[in-house]
Amino acid sequence: MDAVDDLVTLLPELILSALVLVVITVDLFLSRPNKWLLTPLTVAGLILAGAALIPVWGTNETVYDGFYVVDDLSLFFKGATIVIGIFSALFAPAYLVSRRLPLGEFNAMLLFALIGMCVLASSSDLITLFVGLELMVMPGYLLTGFHKTDRYSNEGGLKYFLLGSFASAILLFGVAWTYGLTGTTSVVGIAAALEGQMSGALLVAIAFLTVGGTFKIAAVPFHYWTPDAYQGAPTPITGFLSVGPKLGAFALLVRVFAEALAPLRADWLGVFLVLTVLTMTVGNVIALTQVNVKRMLAYSSIAHTGYIMAGLAAYAAAPTRELAQRGIESILFYVLGYGVMNIAAFAVVGMLQRDQSRFGGLNSFAGLASRAPARAAAMTILLLSLTGIPPTVGFFAKLYVLLATVDAGLQWLAVVIVLNAALAAYYYLRVIVTMYMRDAESEPAPIDGSPLGSVALALSVVGVVALGLFPGPILDLLRASAASIF
Amino acid sequence: MSDLPVLSLIVFTPLVGALLLLFVPGNAHRLIRWIALLASLASFGFSLALLGYDPAGAEFQFREELPWIPAFGMSYILGVDGISVVLVILTTLLSVVSIFYSWDPITTRVKEYYATMLLLMVGMLGVFVSLDLFLFYVFWEISLIPMYLVIGIWGGPRRVYATVKFVIYTLVGSLLMLVAILAVAIAHGSETGTFTFAYEQLRGFGYAESLQGLAFVAFFLAFAIKVPMWPLHTWLPDAHVEAPTAGSIILAGVLLKLGGYGFLRYSIPLLPDASVAFAPIIIGLAVIAIIYGALVAMVQPDLKKLVAYSSVSHMGFVMLGAFVFNQQGLAGAVFQMVSHGITTGALFLLVGIIYEQTHDRTIAHMGGLNARLPHYAAIFGLFTFASIGLPGLSGFVGEFLVVLGAFRYSGIVAALAMLVVIVGAVYMLWMFQRVFFTVPSGWMRAPWPRLRDMSRNEWLSLAPLIILVVALGVWPAPVLDMIAAPVDRIVEAASGAQGLTSLSWPWMGR
């Protein structure tokens, strides 16, 4: 296949790259009152990029000498990336503009991160993988510190940057060891070379890859950057950071652990089981003690990471190929569902922060049900979804993970997951209690009611319920996607 | 039988009502109440069609079946047998009663209140008619959240504590049940090659012993918390005391039955060996619940808490009847569920009537109400006697059958249960005496002139319950005929069971 044909399969990434340039250029020529036009522009571009995914569905081919793969798995990740991008672009403007933060730069950074996620999802070589990863996390560092005049934003950005660079270095070191041991950086090549192999040196490589990878998904005990970064970042950006880079990092984990290191899965399973249980339990227990909703959602995102990791553990423990595939499917479904519900939940927190002195404390939710019934109802559905109550996407996602773990023979892990879910119910319900069962403060903060945010919120709530009730169509896509790496 | 999807109509008419409410302005209270009432009445009307259930016909009738998520073998299968029929009608009836009763007492957030009550109906009815374990679980969870909101928003002073306790308790049990459901479906799927959640296919399959034991414990936790069985009952008094009257009616009348129904529909037929093996423990817990509930009820200073603890005792009878595995016991258990729903629902309603006027439920603060409220006292007396189990009223039939069944199992168990019927008479009559006879307390003098006897709405809400409690007491045959065949099937499932070799009881002589 020649280079021109290869380009066609890269169309979504190319559209996104062109979009970045367009956004930056247009931004120069728009006067301040017209900056909002950048949002529809970005969203339109994202939809176009999403449409470009459709013709390549089912191609499943490796291009550029094995550096880049366009298989259904990558396309599913890219689709989810674009969905997350659209919601992020819609939720952010009201919050950013009211704080006089530049919208053009935000959109550009967001798009860069999205491109990084797409590259990550498509990488069939550890070098591409690393490039994609850095392209994804660099804008993340910048976005965290996006509120230049805010102390917490700066602190969060700096912490994220320092620890993130450190973890990237560790990951890179793991890549180097793997290359040294196998003589290749190709994912398929590594898998072939590792068949039936195990040595002390390999263990070191796996250890480095595990630490680097689990840092990026914010698994315990590599999660310390998360609460500060999430709390410091402007709230809608936190929404993006809690799902976008997480999706990318799980794409990385799938590529590295479920593809490259697949032959050694019995060896890395144990570590992942420990990390999975630790992550969900520690995340939930700390979230219980939080009185700030933004920080609470940050810790809860750690717990959700744990649930998703259980899917990877199920993959590794599964006795048959079919059941292993179910583990991967559960990761994909959870990442998508979690993406939609968590961005929206953070967005609601952001809407209550119109007054800049607000930090997303629980009391800003008091009496929301009578002040803004529609928003309170939307938040209730999102929180129920995060808890995992049917008929929402959060429930079905959890069910999928449970199904995968029980199928793989990890019944005890399923029990740990549901006990954690019950624990999490306590702090999610506390927000509902505050909204519906407590009276508003004497001088409640104003609520942001921009139409763009409202539409996006309505869309995500509809999505959360619709995907929970009728996940059928997505399931077919999922199965095809997960099948493409086996 | 008609081709109308009767069951779907029963379940989803309230949902339509709730959705309609979204488009009604929040201050149009009258319209809101009418919409809610009509929606629940329509659902009740549809549920009467189930009386056409043919006890001699197929096991599950009015079946509906649609694929839902075929990739996972989840389908939308509805169907009812005799047990479901009586419980569905009980549910729709009590829902109408509680929605109608709420007409005057509920004045804040009226729209949200009725929407929540209608959603609650959807969840409860769905549980009783589902024949797919996954669908059942979805409805089971759906019924949880509205009750959480009802207690938490419209409840008493300690409502937040009570409702969070209620929801966490219930959620722990039901989430474990979800794992058990998945494990059962997967075990069946890997053995037969068809992965399905359909109840009729999963039932009667010989699951491995270890799975049966563990899954039974998970199911047991979910259902026993709901019933509630001692020692998992501690959420119940709190929830009842804080819940608004209509919430209590539904909680006692229907939600507790979800647990009892779960045992009869799922635990025993799906996992018969484990059920037989665990039966002695459950019977022991049931007897403790019967005695404990009655004794604790005796010393309650709060009228509502007294009724709540009496529920623990009465639901103990249900559990006892269910796990002695004979026709009398099981039929008694089902009948007791229906009777308890009517009687306790009515008692909570009656407690609500006095509470609305005095805002106090302390028994010591009452006294002499008979002089001021003769009608109220008469009706309260009727349900007091029904609760005690006076022959001629519905409470008698259920308890008598359960004790009969228990006697066939063990004389000592039956004797203990029978003794508690006497204790039941003690606490109910003593309460009645302190509330209605003697002289009015000093406290009562302040609200005394404002007290009014039963209003027209209160009469109308109670009328169906009064008729039923007498009718079923005198002539229980329609209900007993309806549930005879399903009860036989449960007995059959249990009698063929082997028990678990890892769990045998020395005193059982096995």
Side-chain angles (χ1 to χ4, degrees):
Chain A
M1 200 184 240
D2 60 34
V4 180
D5 281 345
D6 287 0
L7 278 179
V8 177
T9 56
L10 285 182
L11 203 52
E13 287 89 334
L14 291 176
I15 292 175
L16 287 177
S17 309
L19 187 61
V20 178
L21 300 178
V22 171
V23 166
I24 293 175
T25 316
V26 170
D27 183 38
L28 292 175
F29 295 99
L30 285 178
S31 58
R32 191 172 276 281
N34 292 331
K35 294 277 192 200
W36 64 271
L37 282 169
L38 290 169
T39 299
L41 177 68
T42 308
V43 172
L46 282 169
I47 292 173
L48 190 67
L53 294 175
I54 297 167
V56 276
W57 179 263
T59 43
N60 290 322
E61 59 192 35
T62 309
V63 291
Y64 294 110
D65 301 325
F67 273 88
Y68 210 77
V69 62
V70 183
D71 56 4
D72 290 350
L73 181 78
S74 73
L75 292 177
F76 187 88
F77 272 123
K78 286 176 197 172
T81 299
I82 284 165
V83 170
I84 288 171
I86 291 174
F87 279 117
S88 304
L90 287 175
F91 280 129
Y95 186 95
L96 298 180
V97 169
S98 73
R99 281 165 174 72
R100 308 181 75 78
L101 296 174
L103 202 52
E105 277 91 331
F106 164 76
N107 280 325
M109 287 300 143
L110 175 69
L111 289 169
F112 272 125
L114 296 180
I115 298 169
M117 286 155 68
C118 290
V119 172
L120 198 47
S122 263
S123 44
S124 52
D125 189 284
L126 295 185
I127 301 298
T128 328
L129 192 88
F130 189 74
V131 171
L133 177 70
E134 288 305 291
L135 187 52
M136 172 182 83
V137 292
M138 287 293 181
Y141 305 147
L142 289 170
L143 284 171
T144 308
F146 205 57
H147 200 168
K148 272 187 296 197
T149 54
D150 182 78
R151 217 157 52 81
Y152 294 102
S153 186
N154 282 317
E155 183 192 333
L158 193 63
K159 277 189 181 164
Y160 190 16
F161 171 68
L162 287 177
L163 290 172
S165 321
F166 195 55
S168 292
I170 292 176
L171 183 79
L172 201 54
F173 200 45
V175 171
W177 274 75
T178 316
Y179 174 71
L181 291 164
T182 60
T184 172
T185 52
S186 149
V187 164
V188 183
I190 293 171
L194 288 181
E195 201 67 62
Q197 299 276 323
M198 194 59 215
S199 65
L202 252 179
L203 267 183
V204 175
I206 294 177
F208 280 124
L209 289 174
T210 309
V211 172
T214 49
F215 177 92
K216 297 295 176 189
I217 56 170
V220 175
F222 311 110
H223 67 286
Y224 288 100
W225 58 275
T226 322
D228 289 328
Y230 283 10
Q231 194 182 10
T235 311
I237 291 176
T238 312
F240 169 72
L241 289 178
S242 72
V243 299
K246 191 163 283 182
L247 176 137
F250 269 104
L252 178 146
L253 285 188
V254 170
R255 290 288 180 206
V256 172
F257 285 89
E259 269 199 285
L261 301 181
L264 305 178
R265 60 179 192 228
D267 299 299
W268 54 259
L269 170 65
V271 177
F272 265 80
L273 284 176
V274 173
L275 289 179
T276 303
V277 172
L278 261 184
T279 302
M280 61 177 94
T281 313
V282 171
N284 275 325
V285 169
I286 302 182
L288 276 179
T289 64
Q290 301 301 317
V291 286
N292 182 301
V293 178
K294 202 170 160 185
R295 214 172 161 85
M296 181 270 274
L297 284 175
Y299 278 108
S300 99
S301 89
I302 296 176
H304 283 281
T305 298
Y307 305 142
I308 309 176
M309 285 170 76
L312 197 60
Y315 156 82
T320 67
R321 186 193 152 284
E322 191 198 348
L323 298 182
Q325 187 187 323
R326 184 161 282 171
I328 301 296
E329 289 163 21
S330 74
I331 297 177
L332 299 182
F333 192 89
Y334 209 114
V335 166
L336 176 66
Y338 177 70
V340 176
M341 65 194 178
N342 216 42
I343 287 189
F346 270 114
V348 175
V349 177
M351 286 174 187
L352 299 180
Q353 288 180 298
R354 187 162 179 83
D355 174 358
Q356 298 204 18
S357 63
R358 301 279 161 168
F359 294 103
L362 196 56
N363 52 0
S364 62
F365 281 83
L368 192 67
S370 41
R371 291 198 292 140
R375 277 182 176 64
M379 187 64 174
T380 304
I381 293 175
L382 294 171
L383 288 167
L384 290 179
S385 179
L386 285 166
T387 316
I389 305 280
T392 57
V393 72
F395 163 69
F396 205 84
K398 220 159 256 161
L399 177 90
Y400 217 136
V401 170
L402 289 176
L403 201 61
T405 44
V406 176
D407 246 344
L410 297 171
Q411 282 88 349
W412 65 269
L413 185 59
V415 172
V416 174
I417 292 174
V418 296
L419 291 180
N420 263 287
L423 200 62
Y426 182 78
Y427 60 78
Y428 288 128
L429 292 179
R430 190 162 55 193
V431 180
I432 302 182
V433 164
T434 312
M435 288 194 296
Y436 281 88
M437 305 168 198
R438 302 233 191 275
D439 292 328
E441 304 166 287
S442 51
E443 278 175 59
I447 299 168
D448 168 59
S450 74
L452 218 53
S454 308
V455 168
L457 185 59
L459 267 179
S460 44
V461 169
V462 168
V464 159
V465 176
L467 274 182
L469 271 180
F470 302 106
I474 296 281
L475 294 184
D476 297 338
L477 291 182
L478 272 183
R479 300 201 142 181
S481 307
S484 65
I485 62 161
F486 285 92
Chain B
M1 218 181 293
S2 62
D3 292 334
L4 267 180
V6 182
L7 294 177
S8 290
L9 285 172
I10 296 173
V11 175
F12 291 110
T13 310
L15 182 65
V16 173
L19 291 178
L20 268 182
L21 284 182
L22 287 182
F23 300 100
V24 178
N27 52 9
H29 291 181
R30 224 183 135 69
L31 181 61
I32 290 168
R33 290 182 174 123
W34 272 109
I35 290 178
L37 182 63
L38 287 177
S40 58
L41 267 177
S43 176
F44 174 63
F46 289 127
S47 72
L48 288 182
L50 298 185
L51 290 174
Y53 178 85
D54 174 16
E59 180 178 8
F60 293 108
Q61 300 175 17
F62 300 97
R63 279 180 62 99
E64 292 168 37
E65 190 164 352
L66 289 170
W68 180 19
I69 307 170
F72 285 153
M74 297 159 184
S75 342
Y76 176 81
I77 310 177
L78 303 185
V80 286
D81 67 359
I83 297 177
S84 320
V85 169
V86 294
L87 289 173
V88 164
I89 296 177
L90 177 76
T91 306
T92 51
L93 176 71
L94 284 176
S95 299
V96 171
V97 167
S98 53
I99 283 175
F100 186 68
Y101 171 79
S102 305
W103 207 273
D104 296 324
I106 297 297
T107 51
T108 53
R109 303 210 197 147
V110 176
K111 179 165 138 178
E112 287 93 335
Y113 176 80
Y114 284 103
T116 316
M117 288 296 275
L118 290 173
L119 282 181
L120 182 56
M121 261 183 101
V122 175
M124 298 184 304
L125 290 166
V127 168
F128 289 133
V129 301
S130 301
L131 286 183
D132 180 280
L133 265 75
F134 181 71
L135 186 65
F136 154 76
Y137 181 80
V138 168
F139 279 123
W140 175 273
E141 289 286 44
I142 288 178
S143 72
L144 175 64
I145 295 304
M147 189 41 104
Y148 159 72
L149 293 174
V150 166
I151 300 176
I153 300 179
W154 294 276
R158 287 176 70 235
R159 57 182 190 268
V160 170
Y161 167 77
T163 199
V164 170
K165 192 170 174 183
F166 162 72
V167 92
I168 299 290
Y169 248 96
T170 324
L171 206 57
V172 170
S174 51
L175 283 166
L176 288 173
M177 175 172 76
L178 177 62
V179 177
I181 289 176
L182 294 177
V184 164
I186 287 170
H188 175 268
S190 64
E191 198 88 0
T192 62
T194 42
F195 186 59
T196 175
F197 284 90
Y199 170 68
E200 287 147 294
Q201 277 164 271
L202 294 181
R203 174 181 62 169
F205 181 79
Y207 297 100
E209 277 210 356
S210 55
L211 174 67
Q212 283 215 23
L214 290 173
F216 185 87
V217 170
F219 274 106
F220 171 80
L221 275 176
F223 298 144
I225 287 171
K226 209 84 165 184
V227 165
M229 284 193 76
W230 184 91
L232 303 169
H233 66 281
T234 57
W235 61 269
L236 181 83
D238 287 316
H240 267 309
V241 167
E242 302 305 328
T245 300
S248 282
I249 298 173
I250 295 292
L251 188 58
V254 185
L255 277 187
L256 306 189
K257 275 68 195 178
L258 296 184
Y261 176 81
F263 277 112
L264 298 177
R265 170 71 73 237
Y266 296 101
S267 291
I268 302 173
L270 275 178
L271 312 162
D273 294 333
S275 302
V276 170
F278 280 99
I281 298 183
I282 293 177
I283 289 172
L285 291 177
V287 172
I288 294 177
I290 293 173
I291 299 172
Y292 172 88
L295 292 180
V296 177
M298 196 145 49
V299 296
Q300 288 308 312
D302 182 309
L303 192 52
K304 207 171 180 185
K305 230 172 176 162
L306 186 147
V307 181
Y309 274 107
S310 83
S311 283
V312 174
S313 184
H314 286 146
M315 290 306 287
F317 275 97
V318 173
M319 294 311 300
L320 175 59
F323 277 86
V324 296
F325 301 130
N326 54 44
Q327 270 98 346
Q328 290 85 351
L330 278 157
V334 177
F335 199 91
Q336 173 78 350
M337 285 206 272
V338 176
S339 163
H340 175 261
I342 297 169
T343 316
T344 309
L347 281 173
F348 276 122
L349 203 162
L350 288 160
V351 173
I353 291 177
I354 192 75
Y355 180 73
E356 292 304 328
Q357 301 184 45
T358 62
H359 294 280
D360 194 281
R361 290 183 305 249
T362 314
I363 297 175
H365 283 173
M366 300 186 189
L369 286 181
N370 188 33
R372 184 90 178 124
L373 314 167
H375 293 158
Y376 179 67
I379 302 303
F380 207 115
L382 175 76
F383 285 105
T384 301
F385 285 121
S387 174
I388 293 169
L390 193 76
L393 296 173
S394 66
F396 171 73
V397 182
E399 282 183 9
F400 180 72
L401 283 171
V402 168
V403 172
L404 209 61
F407 192 79
R408 283 182 56 189
Y409 174 80
S410 147
I412 299 169
V413 168
L416 281 174
M418 203 65 231
L419 271 178
V420 175
V421 177
I422 300 171
V423 182
V426 172
Y427 67 78
M428 287 309 283
L429 288 179
W430 190 35
M431 174 275 290
F432 191 74
Q433 183 192 339
R434 285 181 292 164
V435 172
F436 291 96
F437 302 137
T438 71
V439 289
S441 66
W443 189 91
M444 207 68 205
R445 243 171 267 141
W448 189 258
R450 283 186 285 111
L451 288 186
R452 54 161 182 80
D453 212 335
M454 303 224 306
S455 70
R456 190 198 49 171
N457 277 5
E458 286 157 5
W459 269 116
L460 279 175
S461 343
L462 278 169
L465 304 180
I466 296 171
I467 295 169
L468 276 176
V469 82
V470 176
L472 290 180
V474 178
W475 194 46
V479 171
L480 292 177
D481 288 347
M482 193 73 101
I483 62 178
V487 159
D488 283 344
R489 279 193 196 91
I490 298 172
V491 173
E492 203 178 308
S495 65
Q498 303 297 315
L500 303 177
T501 46
S502 51
L503 199 71
S504 58
W505 312 102
W507 63 88
M508 297 294 290
R510 193 148 2 122

